[in-house]
Amino acid sequence: MTRNHGCCGRCLQRSREEEVDVLGNGCYLPHRFRSSHGRLNFSKKTQGFRKLGKTGTFPESLSMQWRRGCSQYKQVTSNENLPVPMENPYKEPLKKCILCGKRVDYKNVQLLSQFISPYTGCIHGRHITGLCGKKQKEVSKAIKRAQIMGFMPVTYKDPAYLKDPKVCNIKYRE
Amino acid sequence: MPRYELALILKAMQRPETAAALKRTIEALMDRGAIVRNLENLGERALPYKISAHSQQHWRGGYFLVDFYAPPTAVESILDHLSRDIDVIRPNVVKHPLTQEVKQCKGMFPVPLEEKLYAPKKRK
């Protein structure tokens, strides 16, 4: 059974709340069981029932009631309590990498040695160091520069810096 | 004039000879129109790898840092002069790192990895 009475479905809801519950046990009777003057009509021929006494034909008068119900129902929802569009106030600040905002110099070999392998001397990738794009590029450029200029060894890590705290996300086999 | 930094590695020599070499170097810089701002000694230490320069192998060297202002056209002649000096193992002129300002980093944006998992195949 479609509930499409030619207007919004809300008037049905309203009429459900306001109308007196005749049976007394919370059961809602659809409109087709009610005649235009609100009396119950349980006859099987309700849908095609035309002769209703004082009022006019069955579908027209009822649809007038529904339309009235619809126009009053529109003003219930006011704009005061609707959610206001705004940016998320609980947003967490963006995560920063360990070198964010710090200067990377080719001269501090100790810092640069933390990002190379102690066995081969190869520079660790972004997925290991966890640095952001800019800093990773700066670090690798500084490492190459230091190696070429004679500040940092190429194929191994300086033994003096082997005991430094681990910064990269890598685990070596013992 | 832009600011440069000369990372100089000198042969491991006695103190008066090192002093004479440094004096020679700075005079050469000033002759080419450079204004020397500061001279730092990073100490004499073992080189990270064996360096062969001027038909000699070196394992130890004295590290010096000269920051100076110079016209950009003079840099090439400075490097040329230093490469011919026997006492200099390795000369390098770079732009001074303090002139490069550290940019404020906002942070790392979270990359949606799910998109990369089933990325469309690259077509040439």
PDB file of all heavy atoms in Angstrom, chain A residues 37-68:
ATOM      1  N   HIS A  37     -15.991  12.681   8.107  1.00  0.00           N
ATOM      2  CA  HIS A  37     -16.307  13.284   9.406  1.00  0.00           C
ATOM      3  C   HIS A  37     -15.718  12.487  10.561  1.00  0.00           C
ATOM      4  O   HIS A  37     -16.153  12.598  11.664  1.00  0.00           O
ATOM      5  CB  HIS A  37     -17.817  13.506   9.569  1.00  0.00           C
ATOM      6  CG  HIS A  37     -18.631  12.426   8.907  1.00  0.00           C
ATOM      7  ND1 HIS A  37     -19.167  12.598   7.662  1.00  0.00           N
ATOM      8  CD2 HIS A  37     -18.994  11.200   9.298  1.00  0.00           C
ATOM      9  CE1 HIS A  37     -19.826  11.496   7.329  1.00  0.00           C
ATOM     10  NE2 HIS A  37     -19.735  10.629   8.292  1.00  0.00           N
ATOM     11  N   GLY A  38     -14.725  11.660  10.284  1.00  0.00           N
ATOM     12  CA  GLY A  38     -13.944  11.060  11.355  1.00  0.00           C
ATOM     13  C   GLY A  38     -14.534   9.813  11.961  1.00  0.00           C
ATOM     14  O   GLY A  38     -14.031   9.260  12.924  1.00  0.00           O
ATOM     15  N   ARG A  39     -15.587   9.375  11.469  1.00  0.00           N
ATOM     16  CA  ARG A  39     -16.162   8.165  12.086  1.00  0.00           C
ATOM     17  C   ARG A  39     -15.502   6.925  11.507  1.00  0.00           C
ATOM     18  O   ARG A  39     -15.046   6.910  10.379  1.00  0.00           O
ATOM     19  CB  ARG A  39     -17.657   8.123  11.805  1.00  0.00           C
ATOM     20  CG  ARG A  39     -18.452   9.019  12.753  1.00  0.00           C
ATOM     21  CD  ARG A  39     -19.925   8.764  12.561  1.00  0.00           C
ATOM     22  NE  ARG A  39     -20.659   9.972  12.813  1.00  0.00           N
ATOM     23  CZ  ARG A  39     -21.901  10.164  12.389  1.00  0.00           C
ATOM     24  NH1 ARG A  39     -22.490   9.243  11.650  1.00  0.00           N
ATOM     25  NH2 ARG A  39     -22.543  11.280  12.685  1.00  0.00           N
ATOM     26  N   LEU A  40     -15.482   5.918  12.315  1.00  0.00           N
ATOM     27  CA  LEU A  40     -14.894   4.666  11.849  1.00  0.00           C
ATOM     28  C   LEU A  40     -15.786   4.010  10.826  1.00  0.00           C
ATOM     29  O   LEU A  40     -16.998   4.049  10.933  1.00  0.00           O
ATOM     30  CB  LEU A  40     -14.701   3.705  13.013  1.00  0.00           C
ATOM     31  CG  LEU A  40     -13.479   3.958  13.888  1.00  0.00           C
ATOM     32  CD1 LEU A  40     -13.493   2.978  15.037  1.00  0.00           C
ATOM     33  CD2 LEU A  40     -12.202   3.814  13.105  1.00  0.00           C
ATOM     34  N   ASN A  41     -15.169   3.398   9.881  1.00  0.00           N
ATOM     35  CA  ASN A  41     -15.950   2.707   8.877  1.00  0.00           C
ATOM     36  C   ASN A  41     -15.203   1.458   8.480  1.00  0.00           C
ATOM     37  O   ASN A  41     -14.201   1.505   7.773  1.00  0.00           O
ATOM     38  CB  ASN A  41     -16.139   3.644   7.673  1.00  0.00           C
ATOM     39  CG  ASN A  41     -17.238   3.158   6.784  1.00  0.00           C
ATOM     40  OD1 ASN A  41     -17.632   1.987   6.847  1.00  0.00           O
ATOM     41  ND2 ASN A  41     -17.734   4.052   5.957  1.00  0.00           N
ATOM     42  N   PHE A  42     -15.607   0.344   8.966  1.00  0.00           N
ATOM     43  CA  PHE A  42     -14.874  -0.892   8.721  1.00  0.00           C
ATOM     44  C   PHE A  42     -15.413  -1.694   7.565  1.00  0.00           C
ATOM     45  O   PHE A  42     -15.059  -2.837   7.374  1.00  0.00           O
ATOM     46  CB  PHE A  42     -14.918  -1.775   9.978  1.00  0.00           C
ATOM     47  CG  PHE A  42     -13.902  -1.353  10.972  1.00  0.00           C
ATOM     48  CD1 PHE A  42     -14.298  -0.817  12.191  1.00  0.00           C
ATOM     49  CD2 PHE A  42     -12.535  -1.454  10.700  1.00  0.00           C
ATOM     50  CE1 PHE A  42     -13.354  -0.435  13.120  1.00  0.00           C
ATOM     51  CE2 PHE A  42     -11.610  -1.054  11.622  1.00  0.00           C
ATOM     52  CZ  PHE A  42     -12.016  -0.548  12.833  1.00  0.00           C
ATOM     53  N   SER A  43     -16.317  -1.083   6.816  1.00  0.00           N
ATOM     54  CA  SER A  43     -16.906  -1.875   5.727  1.00  0.00           C
ATOM     55  C   SER A  43     -15.854  -2.134   4.661  1.00  0.00           C
ATOM     56  O   SER A  43     -14.979  -1.333   4.407  1.00  0.00           O
ATOM     57  CB  SER A  43     -18.108  -1.137   5.160  1.00  0.00           C
ATOM     58  OG  SER A  43     -17.827  -0.608   3.901  1.00  0.00           O
ATOM     59  N   LYS A  44     -15.954  -3.271   4.027  1.00  0.00           N
ATOM     60  CA  LYS A  44     -14.953  -3.674   3.035  1.00  0.00           C
ATOM     61  C   LYS A  44     -14.972  -2.761   1.833  1.00  0.00           C
ATOM     62  O   LYS A  44     -14.023  -2.668   1.084  1.00  0.00           O
ATOM     63  CB  LYS A  44     -15.231  -5.100   2.576  1.00  0.00           C
ATOM     64  CG  LYS A  44     -14.803  -6.137   3.580  1.00  0.00           C
ATOM     65  CD  LYS A  44     -15.105  -7.522   3.085  1.00  0.00           C
ATOM     66  CE  LYS A  44     -14.863  -8.524   4.218  1.00  0.00           C
ATOM     67  NZ  LYS A  44     -15.265  -9.875   3.826  1.00  0.00           N
ATOM     68  N   LYS A  45     -16.075  -2.135   1.630  1.00  0.00           N
ATOM     69  CA  LYS A  45     -16.171  -1.288   0.441  1.00  0.00           C
ATOM     70  C   LYS A  45     -15.712   0.137   0.734  1.00  0.00           C
ATOM     71  O   LYS A  45     -16.107   1.053   0.072  1.00  0.00           O
ATOM     72  CB  LYS A  45     -17.616  -1.255  -0.053  1.00  0.00           C
ATOM     73  CG  LYS A  45     -18.110  -2.591  -0.594  1.00  0.00           C
ATOM     74  CD  LYS A  45     -19.552  -2.485  -1.050  1.00  0.00           C
ATOM     75  CE  LYS A  45     -20.083  -3.876  -1.351  1.00  0.00           C
ATOM     76  NZ  LYS A  45     -21.543  -3.858  -1.571  1.00  0.00           N
ATOM     77  N   THR A  46     -14.850   0.356   1.739  1.00  0.00           N
ATOM     78  CA  THR A  46     -14.465   1.707   2.142  1.00  0.00           C
ATOM     79  C   THR A  46     -13.767   2.465   1.019  1.00  0.00           C
ATOM     80  O   THR A  46     -13.995   3.635   0.824  1.00  0.00           O
ATOM     81  CB  THR A  46     -13.507   1.640   3.333  1.00  0.00           C
ATOM     82  OG1 THR A  46     -14.107   0.848   4.331  1.00  0.00           O
ATOM     83  CG2 THR A  46     -13.229   3.021   3.871  1.00  0.00           C
ATOM     84  N   GLN A  47     -12.899   1.769   0.323  1.00  0.00           N
ATOM     85  CA  GLN A  47     -12.105   2.474  -0.688  1.00  0.00           C
ATOM     86  C   GLN A  47     -12.970   3.004  -1.796  1.00  0.00           C
ATOM     87  O   GLN A  47     -12.749   4.081  -2.340  1.00  0.00           O
ATOM     88  CB  GLN A  47     -11.056   1.527  -1.274  1.00  0.00           C
ATOM     89  CG  GLN A  47      -9.902   1.350  -0.333  1.00  0.00           C
ATOM     90  CD  GLN A  47      -8.846   0.451  -0.913  1.00  0.00           C
ATOM     91  OE1 GLN A  47      -9.111  -0.308  -1.850  1.00  0.00           O
ATOM     92  NE2 GLN A  47      -7.659   0.519  -0.369  1.00  0.00           N
ATOM     93  N   GLY A  48     -13.954   2.235  -2.169  1.00  0.00           N
ATOM     94  CA  GLY A  48     -14.799   2.694  -3.270  1.00  0.00           C
ATOM     95  C   GLY A  48     -16.076   3.366  -2.782  1.00  0.00           C
ATOM     96  O   GLY A  48     -17.009   3.590  -3.548  1.00  0.00           O
ATOM     97  N   PHE A  49     -16.100   3.667  -1.487  1.00  0.00           N
ATOM     98  CA  PHE A  49     -17.315   4.197  -0.870  1.00  0.00           C
ATOM     99  C   PHE A  49     -17.504   5.648  -1.253  1.00  0.00           C
ATOM    100  O   PHE A  49     -16.683   6.493  -0.958  1.00  0.00           O
ATOM    101  CB  PHE A  49     -17.157   4.067   0.652  1.00  0.00           C
ATOM    102  CG  PHE A  49     -18.461   4.077   1.376  1.00  0.00           C
ATOM    103  CD1 PHE A  49     -19.346   3.007   1.291  1.00  0.00           C
ATOM    104  CD2 PHE A  49     -18.804   5.153   2.163  1.00  0.00           C
ATOM    105  CE1 PHE A  49     -20.542   3.018   1.988  1.00  0.00           C
ATOM    106  CE2 PHE A  49     -20.014   5.161   2.848  1.00  0.00           C
ATOM    107  CZ  PHE A  49     -20.868   4.104   2.772  1.00  0.00           C
ATOM    108  N   ARG A  50     -18.545   5.946  -1.910  1.00  0.00           N
ATOM    109  CA  ARG A  50     -18.740   7.305  -2.412  1.00  0.00           C
ATOM    110  C   ARG A  50     -19.747   8.083  -1.589  1.00  0.00           C
ATOM    111  O   ARG A  50     -19.552   9.235  -1.254  1.00  0.00           O
ATOM    112  CB  ARG A  50     -19.207   7.259  -3.858  1.00  0.00           C
ATOM    113  CG  ARG A  50     -18.194   6.598  -4.744  1.00  0.00           C
ATOM    114  CD  ARG A  50     -17.930   7.423  -5.970  1.00  0.00           C
ATOM    115  NE  ARG A  50     -16.814   6.789  -6.687  1.00  0.00           N
ATOM    116  CZ  ARG A  50     -15.682   7.387  -6.892  1.00  0.00           C
ATOM    117  NH1 ARG A  50     -15.489   8.593  -6.495  1.00  0.00           N
ATOM    118  NH2 ARG A  50     -14.724   6.746  -7.514  1.00  0.00           N
ATOM    119  N   LYS A  51     -20.831   7.435  -1.235  1.00  0.00           N
ATOM    120  CA  LYS A  51     -21.917   8.186  -0.602  1.00  0.00           C
ATOM    121  C   LYS A  51     -21.583   8.397   0.870  1.00  0.00           C
ATOM    122  O   LYS A  51     -21.475   7.471   1.646  1.00  0.00           O
ATOM    123  CB  LYS A  51     -23.204   7.367  -0.743  1.00  0.00           C
ATOM    124  CG  LYS A  51     -24.451   8.129  -0.376  1.00  0.00           C
ATOM    125  CD  LYS A  51     -25.672   7.230  -0.545  1.00  0.00           C
ATOM    126  CE  LYS A  51     -26.861   7.917   0.067  1.00  0.00           C
ATOM    127  NZ  LYS A  51     -28.018   6.990   0.183  1.00  0.00           N
ATOM    128  N   LEU A  52     -21.353   9.639   1.295  1.00  0.00           N
ATOM    129  CA  LEU A  52     -20.956   9.906   2.669  1.00  0.00           C
ATOM    130  C   LEU A  52     -21.857  10.905   3.365  1.00  0.00           C
ATOM    131  O   LEU A  52     -21.514  11.471   4.379  1.00  0.00           O
ATOM    132  CB  LEU A  52     -19.520  10.439   2.702  1.00  0.00           C
ATOM    133  CG  LEU A  52     -18.453   9.411   2.345  1.00  0.00           C
ATOM    134  CD1 LEU A  52     -17.117  10.082   2.201  1.00  0.00           C
ATOM    135  CD2 LEU A  52     -18.367   8.344   3.389  1.00  0.00           C
ATOM    136  N   GLY A  53     -22.927  11.176   2.846  1.00  0.00           N
ATOM    137  CA  GLY A  53     -23.862  12.051   3.560  1.00  0.00           C
ATOM    138  C   GLY A  53     -23.620  13.520   3.297  1.00  0.00           C
ATOM    139  O   GLY A  53     -23.600  13.965   2.161  1.00  0.00           O
ATOM    140  N   LYS A  54     -23.312  14.314   4.412  1.00  0.00           N
ATOM    141  CA  LYS A  54     -23.236  15.773   4.316  1.00  0.00           C
ATOM    142  C   LYS A  54     -22.093  16.229   3.385  1.00  0.00           C
ATOM    143  O   LYS A  54     -22.282  17.043   2.519  1.00  0.00           O
ATOM    144  CB  LYS A  54     -22.975  16.378   5.696  1.00  0.00           C
ATOM    145  CG  LYS A  54     -24.067  16.205   6.681  1.00  0.00           C
ATOM    146  CD  LYS A  54     -23.654  16.833   8.012  1.00  0.00           C
ATOM    147  CE  LYS A  54     -24.408  16.133   9.138  1.00  0.00           C
ATOM    148  NZ  LYS A  54     -23.910  16.573  10.440  1.00  0.00           N
ATOM    149  N   THR A  55     -20.908  15.731   3.619  1.00  0.00           N
ATOM    150  CA  THR A  55     -19.738  16.216   2.859  1.00  0.00           C
ATOM    151  C   THR A  55     -19.713  15.659   1.446  1.00  0.00           C
ATOM    152  O   THR A  55     -20.523  14.817   1.100  1.00  0.00           O
ATOM    153  CB  THR A  55     -18.449  15.801   3.555  1.00  0.00           C
ATOM    154  OG1 THR A  55     -18.506  14.407   3.771  1.00  0.00           O
ATOM    155  CG2 THR A  55     -18.299  16.531   4.867  1.00  0.00           C
ATOM    156  N   GLY A  56     -18.827  16.104   0.691  1.00  0.00           N
ATOM    157  CA  GLY A  56     -18.732  15.738  -0.721  1.00  0.00           C
ATOM    158  C   GLY A  56     -18.150  14.346  -0.914  1.00  0.00           C
ATOM    159  O   GLY A  56     -18.228  13.491  -0.049  1.00  0.00           O
ATOM    160  N   THR A  57     -17.514  14.147  -2.044  1.00  0.00           N
ATOM    161  CA  THR A  57     -16.955  12.824  -2.346  1.00  0.00           C
ATOM    162  C   THR A  57     -15.742  12.529  -1.438  1.00  0.00           C
ATOM    163  O   THR A  57     -15.048  13.429  -0.996  1.00  0.00           O
ATOM    164  CB  THR A  57     -16.519  12.736  -3.816  1.00  0.00           C
ATOM    165  OG1 THR A  57     -15.704  13.887  -4.075  1.00  0.00           O
ATOM    166  CG2 THR A  57     -17.688  12.706  -4.736  1.00  0.00           C
ATOM    167  N   PHE A  58     -15.550  11.291  -1.225  1.00  0.00           N
ATOM    168  CA  PHE A  58     -14.569  10.786  -0.245  1.00  0.00           C
ATOM    169  C   PHE A  58     -13.107  11.276  -0.467  1.00  0.00           C
ATOM    170  O   PHE A  58     -12.530  11.876   0.388  1.00  0.00           O
ATOM    171  CB  PHE A  58     -14.665   9.262  -0.221  1.00  0.00           C
ATOM    172  CG  PHE A  58     -13.719   8.605   0.742  1.00  0.00           C
ATOM    173  CD1 PHE A  58     -14.049   8.522   2.079  1.00  0.00           C
ATOM    174  CD2 PHE A  58     -12.515   8.062   0.297  1.00  0.00           C
ATOM    175  CE1 PHE A  58     -13.193   7.902   2.949  1.00  0.00           C
ATOM    176  CE2 PHE A  58     -11.675   7.451   1.181  1.00  0.00           C
ATOM    177  CZ  PHE A  58     -12.005   7.355   2.507  1.00  0.00           C
ATOM    178  N   PRO A  59     -12.556  11.068  -1.644  1.00  0.00           N
ATOM    179  CA  PRO A  59     -11.134  11.423  -1.755  1.00  0.00           C
ATOM    180  C   PRO A  59     -10.894  12.932  -1.686  1.00  0.00           C
ATOM    181  O   PRO A  59      -9.917  13.381  -1.122  1.00  0.00           O
ATOM    182  CB  PRO A  59     -10.689  10.866  -3.103  1.00  0.00           C
ATOM    183  CG  PRO A  59     -11.920  10.476  -3.826  1.00  0.00           C
ATOM    184  CD  PRO A  59     -13.059  10.473  -2.889  1.00  0.00           C
ATOM    185  N   GLU A  60     -11.801  13.778  -2.205  1.00  0.00           N
ATOM    186  CA  GLU A  60     -11.520  15.222  -2.264  1.00  0.00           C
ATOM    187  C   GLU A  60     -11.472  15.852  -0.888  1.00  0.00           C
ATOM    188  O   GLU A  60     -10.545  16.562  -0.557  1.00  0.00           O
ATOM    189  CB  GLU A  60     -12.595  15.921  -3.090  1.00  0.00           C
ATOM    190  CG  GLU A  60     -12.340  15.792  -4.587  1.00  0.00           C
ATOM    191  CD  GLU A  60     -13.488  16.390  -5.379  1.00  0.00           C
ATOM    192  OE1 GLU A  60     -14.280  17.177  -4.807  1.00  0.00           O
ATOM    193  OE2 GLU A  60     -13.584  16.078  -6.567  1.00  0.00           O
ATOM    194  N   SER A  61     -12.426  15.594  -0.056  1.00  0.00           N
ATOM    195  CA  SER A  61     -12.474  16.242   1.267  1.00  0.00           C
ATOM    196  C   SER A  61     -11.301  15.801   2.121  1.00  0.00           C
ATOM    197  O   SER A  61     -10.712  16.585   2.849  1.00  0.00           O
ATOM    198  CB  SER A  61     -13.796  15.946   1.949  1.00  0.00           C
ATOM    199  OG  SER A  61     -14.008  14.547   1.949  1.00  0.00           O
ATOM    200  N   LEU A  62     -10.976  14.553   2.040  1.00  0.00           N
ATOM    201  CA  LEU A  62      -9.852  14.063   2.830  1.00  0.00           C
ATOM    202  C   LEU A  62      -8.535  14.689   2.381  1.00  0.00           C
ATOM    203  O   LEU A  62      -7.680  15.027   3.175  1.00  0.00           O
ATOM    204  CB  LEU A  62      -9.754  12.536   2.717  1.00  0.00           C
ATOM    205  CG  LEU A  62     -10.449  11.774   3.866  1.00  0.00           C
ATOM    206  CD1 LEU A  62     -10.373  10.288   3.629  1.00  0.00           C
ATOM    207  CD2 LEU A  62      -9.831  12.131   5.192  1.00  0.00           C
ATOM    208  N   SER A  63      -8.416  14.831   1.061  1.00  0.00           N
ATOM    209  CA  SER A  63      -7.173  15.428   0.564  1.00  0.00           C
ATOM    210  C   SER A  63      -7.069  16.878   1.011  1.00  0.00           C
ATOM    211  O   SER A  63      -5.984  17.382   1.262  1.00  0.00           O
ATOM    212  CB  SER A  63      -7.095  15.330  -0.963  1.00  0.00           C
ATOM    213  OG  SER A  63      -8.125  16.103  -1.541  1.00  0.00           O
ATOM    214  N   MET A  64      -8.210  17.564   1.183  1.00  0.00           N
ATOM    215  CA  MET A  64      -8.187  18.937   1.704  1.00  0.00           C
ATOM    216  C   MET A  64      -7.655  18.942   3.116  1.00  0.00           C
ATOM    217  O   MET A  64      -6.855  19.778   3.487  1.00  0.00           O
ATOM    218  CB  MET A  64      -9.621  19.531   1.694  1.00  0.00           C
ATOM    219  CG  MET A  64     -10.084  19.946   0.314  1.00  0.00           C
ATOM    220  SD  MET A  64      -8.960  21.142  -0.451  1.00  0.00           S
ATOM    221  CE  MET A  64      -9.279  22.552   0.565  1.00  0.00           C
ATOM    222  N   GLN A  65      -8.083  17.966   3.911  1.00  0.00           N
ATOM    223  CA  GLN A  65      -7.574  17.877   5.294  1.00  0.00           C
ATOM    224  C   GLN A  65      -6.076  17.657   5.302  1.00  0.00           C
ATOM    225  O   GLN A  65      -5.344  18.265   6.049  1.00  0.00           O
ATOM    226  CB  GLN A  65      -8.259  16.709   6.014  1.00  0.00           C
ATOM    227  CG  GLN A  65      -9.627  17.048   6.544  1.00  0.00           C
ATOM    228  CD  GLN A  65     -10.214  15.871   7.307  1.00  0.00           C
ATOM    229  OE1 GLN A  65      -9.501  14.902   7.576  1.00  0.00           O
ATOM    230  NE2 GLN A  65     -11.478  15.958   7.638  1.00  0.00           N
ATOM    231  N   TRP A  66      -5.631  16.772   4.420  1.00  0.00           N
ATOM    232  CA  TRP A  66      -4.200  16.460   4.372  1.00  0.00           C
ATOM    233  C   TRP A  66      -3.400  17.687   3.982  1.00  0.00           C
ATOM    234  O   TRP A  66      -2.378  17.958   4.537  1.00  0.00           O
ATOM    235  CB  TRP A  66      -3.944  15.341   3.351  1.00  0.00           C
ATOM    236  CG  TRP A  66      -4.493  14.006   3.780  1.00  0.00           C
ATOM    237  CD1 TRP A  66      -4.589  13.524   5.039  1.00  0.00           C
ATOM    238  CD2 TRP A  66      -5.042  13.012   2.921  1.00  0.00           C
ATOM    239  NE1 TRP A  66      -5.137  12.276   5.032  1.00  0.00           N
ATOM    240  CE2 TRP A  66      -5.430  11.921   3.735  1.00  0.00           C
ATOM    241  CE3 TRP A  66      -5.234  12.906   1.535  1.00  0.00           C
ATOM    242  CZ2 TRP A  66      -5.990  10.777   3.220  1.00  0.00           C
ATOM    243  CZ3 TRP A  66      -5.799  11.754   1.034  1.00  0.00           C
ATOM    244  CH2 TRP A  66      -6.175  10.692   1.867  1.00  0.00           C
ATOM    245  N   ARG A  67      -3.934  18.440   3.006  1.00  0.00           N
ATOM    246  CA  ARG A  67      -3.181  19.610   2.545  1.00  0.00           C
ATOM    247  C   ARG A  67      -3.072  20.648   3.645  1.00  0.00           C
ATOM    248  O   ARG A  67      -2.062  21.288   3.840  1.00  0.00           O
ATOM    249  CB  ARG A  67      -3.869  20.223   1.323  1.00  0.00           C
ATOM    250  CG  ARG A  67      -3.015  20.102   0.069  1.00  0.00           C
ATOM    251  CD  ARG A  67      -3.696  20.625  -1.157  1.00  0.00           C
ATOM    252  NE  ARG A  67      -4.161  19.517  -2.000  1.00  0.00           N
ATOM    253  CZ  ARG A  67      -5.317  19.496  -2.649  1.00  0.00           C
ATOM    254  NH1 ARG A  67      -6.143  20.489  -2.564  1.00  0.00           N
ATOM    255  NH2 ARG A  67      -5.658  18.453  -3.386  1.00  0.00           N
ATOM    256  N   ARG A  68      -4.142  20.796   4.399  1.00  0.00           N
ATOM    257  CA  ARG A  68      -4.115  21.748   5.512  1.00  0.00           C
ATOM    258  C   ARG A  68      -3.059  21.321   6.523  1.00  0.00           C
ATOM    259  O   ARG A  68      -2.307  22.108   7.048  1.00  0.00           O
ATOM    260  CB  ARG A  68      -5.481  21.779   6.197  1.00  0.00           C
ATOM    261  CG  ARG A  68      -6.211  23.100   6.004  1.00  0.00           C
ATOM    262  CD  ARG A  68      -7.454  23.186   6.825  1.00  0.00           C
ATOM    263  NE  ARG A  68      -8.521  22.336   6.319  1.00  0.00           N
ATOM    264  CZ  ARG A  68      -9.252  21.519   7.087  1.00  0.00           C
ATOM    265  NH1 ARG A  68      -9.063  21.456   8.360  1.00  0.00           N
ATOM    266  NH2 ARG A  68     -10.203  20.761   6.544  1.00  0.00           N
TER     267      ARG A  68
END
